[in-house]
């Protein structure tokens, strides 16, 4: 996982600049606006995308799929900029809720070392169904809407969202697009077929220990696979889902300045556990480790440990002061405190600010207003 990878990099002596350089080198071929990549290289979503590029470095299907999906987003954005963003942003709350659900799905038990073969089979199909229904389906609807927009010049997105996943995938494949993502090898079974097998429990274990799956209209098709083969299919299906999510993430960050500033997003919030994990990952990329968190109705107090010995102390303390805004945005309390600890675990100081100040600075940042001087004037520091 990205957190472990970043911790290992820091322990081996890689600096935040070294990490950023590697992230940019890896993702740059997929960005049109490299300045955006440099700006958001420490963002947890970009870092997670980077980790998947390393994880799948030997999978040609991954890189082919990423390129195809990103190109679909880019072409729609180029030809129908306003209409494309209307499609992408109109279901913001759905995307947030999907991610909230996926957080629980990822944390649920999937034991590939399970000795009970039947139990293992059920667990795998439950994971396949959840991934395709929650993490993949919405993006497929979005991509098909963008494809229709390019071919017809207009699209009824709500109508598309009511269509079956199988219909959407068939229509995309009929246009000769995204075969490397939508057809699972070997056998070229569609993602929608796997989703239906899992969701409608059209699988069984025969007397020889093989798994028999039925799919297609009226379940007229069937196939027999071993448990080892099912595990390989799980890997491919999850990779396809990751391709869709990572490509979408890259496109949004790449063209983030194209997002209409006056667009009113539907109200939706990521779960606090997600925001906390995103913060932890972003900290690690900058050489900090998230420590204890003390929370009450009025106050949030966070311990941040420096993982470097040779950094300028005042510079690192100032960096912690800038993180007050991040802490407030997650927990939104009246008072915000960060305890800064040196590499030797000695508590050096506490930087703190009023929550209203953090909120005001956060709003300025959303409008791309420079806040460095304002922040420097408003935060306080207490040394120990």
């Amino acid at each position: 996982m990205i957190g472990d990878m970043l911790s290992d990099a820091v322990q081996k002596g890689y600096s935040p600049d070294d990490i950023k350089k590697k992230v940019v080198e890896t993702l740059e071929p997929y960005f049109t606006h490299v300045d955006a990549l440099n700006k958001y290289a420490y963002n947890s979503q970009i870092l997670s995308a980077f980790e998947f590029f390393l994880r799948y470095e030997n999978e040609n299907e991954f890189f082919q799929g990423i390129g195809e999906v990103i190109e679909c987003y880019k072409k729609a954005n180029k030809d129908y900029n306003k209409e494309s963003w209307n499609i992408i942003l109109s279901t913001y709350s759905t995307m947030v809720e999907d991610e909230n659900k996926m957080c629980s799905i990822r944390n649920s038990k999937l034991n590939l070392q399970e000795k009970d073969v039947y139990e293992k089979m059920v667990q795998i199909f439950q994971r396949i169904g959840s991934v395709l229904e929650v993490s993949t389906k919405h993006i497929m609807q979005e991509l098909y809407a963008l494809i229709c927009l390019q071919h017809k010049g207009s699209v009824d997105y709500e109508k598309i969202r009511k269509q079956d996943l199988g219909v959407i995938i068939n229509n995309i494949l009929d246009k000769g697009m995204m075969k490397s993502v939508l057809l699972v090898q070997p056998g070229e079974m569609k993602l929608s077929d796997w989703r239906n097998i899992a969701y409608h429990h059209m699988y069984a274990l025969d007397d020889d220990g093989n798994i028999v799956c039925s799919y297609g209209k009226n379940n007229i098709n069937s196939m027999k696979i071993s448990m080892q083969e099912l595990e390989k299919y799980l890997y491919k299906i999850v990779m396809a889902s990751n391709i869709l999510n990572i490509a979408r993430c890259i496109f949004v960050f790449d063209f983030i300045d194209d997002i209409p500033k006056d667009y009113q997003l539907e109200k939706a919030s990521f779960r606090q556990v997600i925001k906390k994990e995103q913060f932890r990952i972003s900290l690690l990329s900058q050489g900090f480790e998230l420590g204890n968190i003390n929370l009450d109705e009025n106050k949030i107090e966070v311990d941040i440990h420096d993982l470097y010995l040779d950094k300028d102390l005042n510079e690192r303390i100032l960096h912690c002061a800038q993180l007050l805004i991040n802490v407030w945005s997650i927990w939104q309390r009246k008072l915000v405190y960060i305890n800064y600890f040196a590499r030797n675990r000695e508590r050096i100081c506490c930087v703190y600010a009023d929550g209203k100040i953090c909120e005001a600075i956060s709003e300025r940042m959303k409008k791309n207003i420079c806040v460095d001087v304002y922040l420097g004037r408003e935060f306080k520091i207490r040394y120990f």
Side-chain angles (χ1 to χ4, degrees):
M1 298 298 288
I2 183 61
D4 295 333
M5 186 188 75
L6 291 171
S7 295
D8 185 58
V10 171
Q11 294 300 323
K12 290 179 178 177
Y14 290 97
S15 70
D17 287 342
D18 294 330
I19 294 171
K20 180 177 180 178
K21 181 181 178 182
K22 184 62 176 177
V23 171
V24 171
E25 285 179 352
T26 302
L27 300 183
E28 185 175 356
Y30 301 91
F31 272 75
T32 300
H33 305 99
V34 181
D35 55 333
L37 175 56
N38 277 285
K39 181 178 180 180
Y40 295 106
Y42 292 133
N43 182 281
S44 63
Q45 294 180 68
I46 292 294
L47 290 166
S48 293
F50 164 70
E51 190 266 335
F52 279 111
F53 271 78
L54 299 185
R55 184 188 302 186
Y56 294 126
E57 63 180 345
N58 295 319
E59 300 285 357
N60 292 332
E61 294 170 48
F62 174 80
F63 294 95
Q64 182 180 346
I66 287 286
E68 288 184 41
V69 177
I70 289 177
E71 184 59 28
C72 181
Y73 277 109
K74 285 183 177 181
K75 193 173 187 308
N77 182 57
K78 179 182 178 181
D79 297 339
Y80 297 94
N81 176 271
K82 182 179 179 181
E83 295 86 352
S84 294
W85 284 110
N86 283 339
I87 290 170
I88 294 168
L89 300 176
S90 66
T91 51
Y92 172 75
S93 62
T94 300
M95 188 63 73
V96 171
E97 283 308 312
D98 284 350
E99 185 57 30
N100 287 339
K101 292 169 188 170
M102 279 306 301
C103 179
S104 293
I105 291 168
R106 294 187 191 101
N107 291 333
S108 64
K109 182 181 178 182
L110 175 58
N111 182 16
L112 295 180
Q113 307 306 316
E114 173 64 56
K115 301 299 182 183
D116 186 321
V117 179
Y118 199 96
E119 178 66 27
K120 183 176 180 179
M121 174 185 70
V122 171
Q123 284 187 25
I124 290 176
F125 275 109
Q126 285 177 338
R127 180 56 56 92
I128 288 173
S130 296
V131 166
L132 293 177
E133 180 67 18
V134 179
S135 182
T136 306
K137 184 177 180 179
H138 174 255
I139 299 179
M140 292 310 311
Q141 294 169 341
E142 184 175 275
L143 284 166
Y144 182 50
L146 294 175
I147 292 167
C148 290
L149 179 64
Q150 294 172 62
H151 282 78
K152 301 177 181 179
S154 63
V155 64
D156 185 343
Y157 190 25
E158 287 307 309
K159 183 178 179 180
I160 285 176
R161 294 184 68 203
K162 293 175 183 177
Q163 293 180 352
D164 290 339
L165 179 62
V167 172
I168 289 172
I169 288 179
N170 280 337
N171 289 340
I172 294 175
L173 289 172
D174 285 345
K175 297 183 184 301
M177 302 177 70
M178 301 185 205
K179 291 183 179 180
S180 65
V181 181
L182 304 182
L183 298 178
V184 183
Q185 304 295 344
E188 294 197 339
M189 263 180 60
K190 294 172 292 187
L191 290 179
S192 51
D193 288 330
W194 282 105
R195 182 265 181 201
N196 291 338
I197 291 169
Y199 248 63
H200 298 300
H201 310 290
M202 300 307 299
Y203 53 87
L205 197 66
D206 69 12
D207 293 338
D208 296 323
N210 292 313
I211 299 157
V212 181
C213 304
S214 302
Y215 63 98
K217 190 173 184 179
N218 298 321
N219 298 315
I220 61 172
N221 301 315
S222 66
M223 70 171 182
K224 184 182 291 188
I225 56 176
S226 67
M227 180 60 73
Q228 186 178 27
E229 288 172 323
L230 179 60
E231 288 186 44
K232 290 179 180 178
Y233 279 123
L234 171 66
Y235 174 85
K236 295 277 190 176
I237 291 164
V238 170
M239 183 174 71
S241 179
N242 288 334
I243 287 170
L244 293 166
N245 281 275
I246 293 166
R248 186 183 193 274
C249 170
I250 288 174
F251 167 76
V252 170
F253 277 98
D254 192 8
F255 290 88
I256 199 165
D257 288 337
D258 282 7
I259 297 177
K261 300 297 186 290
D262 57 347
Y263 192 97
Q264 295 297 313
L265 289 173
E266 295 175 332
K267 190 173 182 180
S269 298
F270 288 105
R271 293 167 60 183
Q272 197 170 94
V273 65
I274 294 176
K275 292 190 284 187
K276 176 185 171 183
E277 179 63 10
Q278 290 175 339
F279 182 48
R280 185 184 75 87
I281 290 171
S282 182
L283 284 178
L284 282 169
S285 70
Q286 298 165 73
F288 294 108
E289 183 178 56
L290 182 62
N292 293 330
I293 299 170
N294 296 307
L295 187 69
D296 62 32
E297 289 184 5
N298 297 310
K299 182 182 73 174
I300 172 67
E301 186 172 2
V302 173
D303 292 348
I304 291 182
H305 299 265
D306 205 328
L307 298 176
Y308 292 108
L309 289 171
D310 58 350
K311 297 294 182 182
D312 180 88
L313 187 63
N314 290 327
E315 183 179 303
R316 298 296 270 177
I317 292 172
L318 178 59
H319 197 149
C320 283
Q322 295 168 337
L323 294 170
L324 288 167
I325 312 304
N326 303 77
V327 173
W328 175 85
S329 69
I330 299 172
W331 288 281
Q332 298 192 1
R333 291 302 192 266
K334 293 179 181 178
L335 297 170
V336 185
Y337 296 83
I338 292 178
N339 294 311
Y340 169 67
F341 291 77
R343 173 72 182 269
N344 63 6
R345 298 291 172 175
E346 176 188 359
R347 184 167 65 159
I348 303 299
C349 66
C350 175
V351 292
Y352 57 100
D354 189 288
K356 290 183 178 179
I357 297 298
C358 295
E359 181 178 11
I361 294 173
S362 178
E363 289 302 315
R364 286 174 174 237
M365 292 172 67
K366 290 178 183 178
K367 298 175 182 177
N368 291 321
I369 300 174
C370 182
V371 297
D372 291 348
V373 175
Y374 188 58
L375 176 62
R377 188 173 67 240
E378 297 296 342
F379 86 87
K380 300 178 178 61
I381 183 166
R382 181 172 71 248
Y383 285 93
F384 297 101

